[in-house]
Amino acid sequence: MSSRSQRTLAAAGIVLALISVVLAVITLIEHFPRGLFVLLLDVAAIAAAWHGILRRGVERTVWLVLAAVMLVATVVLLVGRDLVEAVLVVAFAAGSVACARAALVNRVALERVEPPSAPVLIFNPKSGGGKATKFHLADEARRRGIEPHEMVLGKSLEDTVEELLEQGADGIAVAGGDGTQALVANVAARADVPFACIPAGTRNHFALDLGVDRDDVVGALDAFVNGGERVVDLADVNGRVFVNNVSVGLYGDAVAHAGYRDAKLRTLLDTLPEVAGPEAEAKPLRWRDPDGFTHDAGLALLVSNNVYRLGRIVGSGTRPSLDRGQLGVSVIGSRGGVGRGMVRRWSLPAMEVPGDSPISVGIDGEAVTLTPPLRFTMRPGALRVRIAAQHPGCSPSAGMPDNALAGVGLLARLALTGRR
């Protein structure tokens, strides 16, 4: 995107935001105290919904119906007599966010490096609903001088990579889900050979945070043709490498259920009463920081390879950096209810989850049972990653402001000067 386009989008975002705020203020002043009732009903609906999902059967249904009734009442109060004004406020706000996101898209120009002389591509033909087959990745790899190797059922992926390295491979690309990416990245890091992430999985979170265009599966192969290189961290739990995160508690228990892949939301809702309901039998989770202090792990504990950006309009759910050498530790909710803050966060070089029985976890979305204590550590600068020249080369949240005021300032500077 050209700098002129970014300036135009930044200016449009600011104008639309101002219009949305002015309309909202006028509407609230004209119809006070209806706005206060809407706020109170929203809070009550959230509390009722939370109370309901912690229960089962008829009791859950009653509370969820009550929450739905209160939400309907808020809609009636909000738009009952002023539908046009409400729609305009939402439309201008949505337009402002869309323009801001487009204007703040970031790219980095990675320094070009010599491509490997004998690169290989390891691909899972079933990953991501068959993306490798759909995009003819094997043929596209050969056209670029990359030798494709399909994963073999029943053969260790790590052994396959080790064999290829022994045969002279000096660059490893992998097309598969994030769990597969982690296994191959671990071997590539040990051998100190360049690694390329081909986004042929379902969600490709690692590719997104690396700066690989997830919509350009074939183009990602150019990492070993015209690519630049960046060095990123890996993390591990009890010696097992992960590229994204490990979930313990609610999500870790849900992933372990047989029906999770086919009905994720339903499985999460069914697991919640087991973890946090009034009759929950599971022992409270705890975790320890490097100084030996013990903390409550709430309903769910998320430990990530570098820190996630959460709760932001732009770039939320991604990691601004993958080279800070820090674990991101996020505690979600508490077993006693909604209070104490829904998300509490830390940034640490290491941490530990104690326990006296096996713990179900989700490692990069895959169900695994580990024997405690779970020891999390970082491997700073472990992996050399190649990224195609036409791809962003950085996370969507890289260089993004941390709060709304800073965001407005960045948009204004971009609109006025064309520079971030």
Side-chain angles (χ1 to χ4, degrees):
M1 182 184 297
S2 68
S3 60
R4 176 172 293 183
S5 297
Q6 286 186 301
R7 290 184 69 176
T8 301
L9 287 167
I14 292 173
V15 171
L16 290 174
L18 288 173
I19 294 174
S20 176
V21 169
V22 170
L23 281 176
V25 170
I26 291 173
T27 301
L28 288 173
I29 291 174
E30 286 182 346
H31 304 291
F32 183 83
R34 189 168 24 155
L36 180 60
F37 293 146
V38 168
L39 178 62
L40 292 175
L41 278 172
D42 279 340
V43 172
I46 292 171
W50 181 255
H51 194 75
I53 61 177
L54 292 180
R55 276 127 181 104
R56 296 183 182 276
V58 175
E59 191 175 1
R60 169 183 281 189
T61 301
V62 170
W63 281 103
L64 292 182
V65 168
L66 179 60
V69 168
M70 286 188 284
L71 285 176
V72 170
T74 64
V75 173
V76 171
L77 284 172
L78 188 62
V79 304
R81 290 184 296 177
D82 306 296
L83 180 59
V84 174
E85 291 179 13
V87 169
L88 286 175
V89 169
V90 173
F92 281 120
S96 173
V97 171
C99 288
R101 283 177 171 169
L104 295 176
V105 168
N106 202 6
R107 300 182 66 90
V108 297
L110 298 175
E111 184 177 352
R112 289 278 296 274
V113 289
E114 190 70 22
S117 59
V120 297
L121 166 70
I122 298 173
F123 67 95
N124 180 351
K126 296 182 179 180
S127 183
K131 286 183 180 179
T133 302
K134 175 183 176 182
F135 292 106
H136 308 287
L137 275 184
D139 293 334
E140 294 290 346
R142 289 190 186 96
R143 290 193 186 100
R144 293 164 170 80
I146 304 170
E147 185 62 31
H149 292 268
E150 182 176 333
M151 293 182 195
V152 178
L153 186 64
K155 184 175 182 179
S156 164
L157 183 56
E158 292 97 326
D159 288 345
T160 298
V161 180
E162 294 282 7
E163 288 177 8
L164 292 171
L165 291 171
E166 289 175 3
Q167 294 167 10
D170 60 352
I172 306 290
V174 58
D178 286 330
T180 300
Q181 300 284 344
L183 292 174
V184 178
N186 184 33
V187 181
R190 285 204 308 261
D192 192 30
V193 298
F195 168 91
C197 175
I198 312 302
T202 302
R203 292 180 177 81
N204 306 297
H205 293 300
F206 187 44
L208 178 67
D209 290 340
L210 284 173
V212 176
D213 184 347
R214 296 185 295 179
D215 295 325
D216 186 17
V217 179
V218 173
L221 293 167
D222 291 335
F224 283 158
V225 178
N226 64 4
E229 183 171 289
R230 57 179 299 199
V231 178
V232 302
D233 306 331
L234 294 175
D236 72 59
V237 53
N238 288 10
R240 172 162 173 162
V241 164
F242 58 96
V243 293
N244 293 331
N245 57 65
V246 175
S247 51
V248 189
L250 172 62
Y251 184 73
D253 291 344
V255 170
H257 281 248
Y260 175 76
R261 293 291 178 187
D262 297 324
K264 294 183 179 181
L265 180 58
R266 180 177 178 180
T267 305
L268 280 170
L269 290 175
D270 287 344
T271 305
L272 192 52
E274 300 173 6
V275 176
E279 299 179 1
E281 297 180 358
K283 293 182 179 179
L285 277 171
R286 299 284 186 267
W287 66 275
R288 282 196 289 262
D289 62 31
D291 295 323
F293 292 103
T294 300
H295 306 260
D296 171 33
L299 295 176
L301 176 67
L302 186 76
V303 185
S304 58
N305 171 20
N306 283 273
V307 179
Y308 278 96
R309 176 183 172 92
L310 301 175
R312 305 288 192 273
I313 293 177
V314 179
S316 183
T318 63
R319 289 163 289 178
S321 174
L322 285 172
D323 59 6
R324 298 291 177 84
Q326 294 285 301
L327 294 167
V329 180
S330 298
V331 173
I332 302 169
S334 66
R335 291 177 181 259
V338 182
R340 294 190 58 190
M342 288 305 292
V343 180
R344 288 162 284 154
R345 303 170 64 196
W346 292 260
S347 177
L348 302 167
M351 55 90 67
E352 180 179 291
V353 177
D356 52 16
S357 60
I359 300 175
S360 296
V361 301
I363 302 180
D364 288 335
E366 296 184 7
V368 179
T369 300
L370 297 177
T371 301
L374 311 187
R375 294 189 174 94
F376 294 84
T377 58
M378 290 297 298
R379 300 184 185 179
L383 185 65
R384 296 163 53 200
V385 180
R386 298 286 175 89
I387 299 173
Q390 69 270 25
H391 287 184
C394 64
S395 167
S397 56
M400 291 296 177
D402 290 330
N403 54 64
L405 184 60
V408 171
L410 179 56
L411 280 176
R413 185 164 61 253
L414 184 57
L416 293 172
T417 69
R419 295 191 298 272
R420 296 176 67 90

